[in-house]
Amino acid sequence: MALADSGSGETVQWAAITGVIATVSVFAIAQGLSYPLLSFILQRQGVSPAVIGLSAAMTPVGFILSSPLIPGLARRFGAGRTALTCAVLSALVLALIGWTQDVYLWFPLRFLIGVVTNPLYVLSEIWVIALAPPSRRGRVMGVYSTIISAGFAAGPLCLLAVGTEGWAPFLVGIFAFVFCGACLALVLRRLPRVDEAGHGVSVLGFMPMAWLLLSTVVVAAGFEQAVLALLPVYGTHYGIPEARMSALLSMMIAGNIAMQVPLGLLAERLTARLVRFGCVSVTILGCVLLPVLIETPLIWPCVFIWGAVSYGIYTMSIIELGERFSGSTLVAGNATFSLMWGVGGILVAPLTGGVMDVIGASGLPVTLGAICLALAVATVARRRMV
C-alpha cells in the first residue's frame, strides 16, 4: 500500500517498509538467540572461555570477509534473489550447527553463518533506506534501529521459554530464518531496484568517498562492543556486584531501544550530521561522568542516555548514508558499513582491555572518550575544510 504524505507530496510505501523491517527484526531475534545458546552449550561441554570467545568471533569474521562480495552478488543475481537465498542458507547452516554439536566443526560453521546472514542484513537495511522518503527518513530509520535492538534483546528471552538443551532452541532459530525469508518474499515485488548492472561501486572504491562516515561506524561499533564486554569488569574495580552491573547494562540497552525514534525525529528537524555530532559530544560527556557517578544513583539515567546517544551515532550515520548515496553506490556503502562494524568490534574492545591492563579500570572511559574525541575533532576539521 502506497500512501501520499500530505505534508511533502511524497509517496510512502508503508507495506514494503513494514515487510522489510519485519524481515530484519526476525533475523535479529535469530541472531540474538544463537550467540548465548551456543555459548551455553559449549560451557556445558567444558570448553574453556578462551575457546568459546574464539568460536563466537568466527561470525563477525564472516561478516567482514563477506562484505566486499555483497555488491557483486546483488548485481549478478539481483538483490532480492540474493537475500532470499541467504535466508534459506542461514536456516540450513543453523540446522548443521544443531546437528553437529562439536566445538571444532562449529568454527567453520559459525564463520559460514556470518557469511550467509550478512547479505540478508545489509540488503534489508538498504531497502529500508531507499524506501524511506527524505522528509521521514529520520523517524523510519529510528523505528528500524529500535526494532533491530529489540529483536537482538528478545533473542535471549526466547531461551527462557524453550531452554538451551535439545533441538527446541535451534528449531526456533531455524523457523525464524525461514519466516524471515517468507516476509521478504511477500514484499519483494514492491522493493526498489538497488542493484543496477554496469554501474558497480566496490567496497574499496566506496571507502574514499565517505571516510569520515566510515570512521563513525568503527567508533560506534567499537564503543558498543567494548562497553558490553568490559563495563562489568569496570564495575568490579568499585566492588559493584555482578547483578547490579548486569542491570546497568540492561538500562543502557533500554536507552538504545527507547531513544532512536526521538533522535530520528530530531534529525528531520536539524540534520543527521548535526545530531550525530551531538551524540558524539554527549557520549564523550558520559565517559567523563562514568567514574564520578558509578557509585551514585545518578548512574542509572547516565547509562540510559549513554546507551541512547552511543547507538544514535550509528543511526545518524545510516540516515546520512541514505541522504548522500543511492542505487549501487548505496549497496556498496552499506556493505562497507558492515565491514567497518566488524572492524570496530574486533579492534576497539581489545585495545580498551589492553589500556585497562596498563592503567587500571579508568582505561575504559579514557580509551572510549579519546576515540570519540578524535572523531569529534575530525568532524569539525572536515566541516571547516568543506
Side-chain angles (χ1 to χ4, degrees):
M1 179 174 61
L3 297 178
D5 182 344
S6 59
S8 64
E10 295 167 331
T11 298
V12 185
Q13 299 284 346
W14 289 119
I17 291 172
T18 302
V20 177
I21 290 180
T23 297
V24 81
S25 65
V26 176
F27 161 84
I29 292 171
Q31 286 287 84
L33 173 145
S34 65
Y35 276 101
L37 170 63
L38 301 186
S39 294
F40 284 135
I41 292 172
L42 291 176
Q43 198 168 25
R44 283 200 300 268
Q45 293 177 355
V47 177
S48 70
V51 174
I52 292 174
L54 285 173
S55 176
M58 291 299 100
T59 298
V61 170
F63 289 164
I64 292 172
L65 295 183
S66 65
S67 292
L69 305 177
I70 296 172
L73 288 171
R75 287 194 302 273
R76 182 175 178 83
F77 301 107
R81 188 178 300 172
T82 299
L84 284 174
T85 302
C86 286
V88 174
L89 290 175
S90 298
L92 289 175
V93 175
L94 187 58
L96 282 173
I97 290 174
W99 180 56
T100 55
Q101 298 281 318
D102 183 276
V103 61
Y104 298 108
L105 288 176
W106 279 9
F107 274 85
L109 288 174
R110 294 185 82 169
F111 170 79
L112 278 178
I113 207 164
V115 170
V116 297
T117 57
N118 193 33
L120 179 62
Y121 171 75
V122 168
L123 293 170
S124 296
E125 188 164 85
I126 291 165
W127 280 316
V128 176
I129 296 170
L131 286 164
S135 67
R136 297 195 173 196
R137 184 171 283 127
R139 71 193 74 182
V140 170
M141 297 314 298
V143 169
Y144 169 83
S145 294
T146 297
I147 292 177
I148 284 286
S149 299
F152 276 111
L157 295 178
C158 291
L159 296 179
L160 295 177
V162 300
T164 61
E165 298 185 1
W167 271 101
F170 287 99
L171 290 175
V172 171
I174 292 165
F175 174 78
F177 281 125
V178 172
F179 187 70
C180 174
C183 290
L184 184 59
L186 288 174
V187 297
L188 203 55
R189 292 184 179 180
R190 301 175 180 265
L191 300 180
R193 288 292 301 268
V194 294
D195 49 14
E196 304 98 319
H199 297 85
V201 177
S202 69
V203 166
L204 289 176
F206 182 83
M207 287 182 178
M209 299 169 65
W211 63 268
L212 182 59
L213 204 55
L214 296 175
S215 300
T216 302
V217 175
V218 172
V219 171
F223 185 95
E224 180 181 82
Q225 297 299 315
V227 168
L228 289 176
L230 298 172
L231 189 62
V233 179
Y234 181 84
T236 60
H237 173 78
Y238 293 90
I240 298 173
E242 290 183 4
R244 178 180 168 89
M245 293 309 300
S246 296
L248 282 173
L249 281 175
S250 298
M251 179 64 77
M252 193 169 186
I253 294 168
N256 172 352
I257 294 171
M259 295 303 294
Q260 298 313 303
V261 173
L263 288 172
L265 290 170
L266 188 60
E268 291 176 8
R269 287 183 169 273
L270 305 173
T271 64
R273 188 174 299 177
L274 183 59
V275 176
R276 189 187 74 212
F277 183 77
C279 287
V280 173
S281 301
V282 177
T283 301
I284 295 169
L285 179 61
C287 293
V288 174
L289 292 177
L290 181 65
V292 178
L293 302 180
I294 187 66
E295 296 181 281
T296 74
L298 291 175
I299 191 61
W300 297 96
C302 177
V303 296
F304 182 89
I305 296 170
W306 215 30
V309 295
S310 60
Y311 194 76
I313 296 170
Y314 181 75
T315 301
M316 295 305 112
S317 299
I318 284 290
I319 294 171
E320 186 177 341
L321 181 71
E323 291 172 349
R324 293 174 55 183
F325 304 102
S326 62
S328 61
T329 308
L330 180 60
V331 176
N334 206 270
T336 312
F337 266 38
S338 178
L339 190 153
M340 290 297 107
W341 184 271
V343 169
I346 288 174
L347 292 183
V348 176
L351 172 64
T352 306
V355 176
M356 291 175 74
D357 284 343
V358 174
I359 68 173
S362 61
L364 176 69
V366 167
T367 305
L368 297 181
I371 292 171
C372 291
L373 181 61
L375 178 62
V377 171
T379 301
V380 172
R382 173 67 175 167
R383 181 65 178 170
R384 289 184 175 178
M385 287 171 61
V386 172

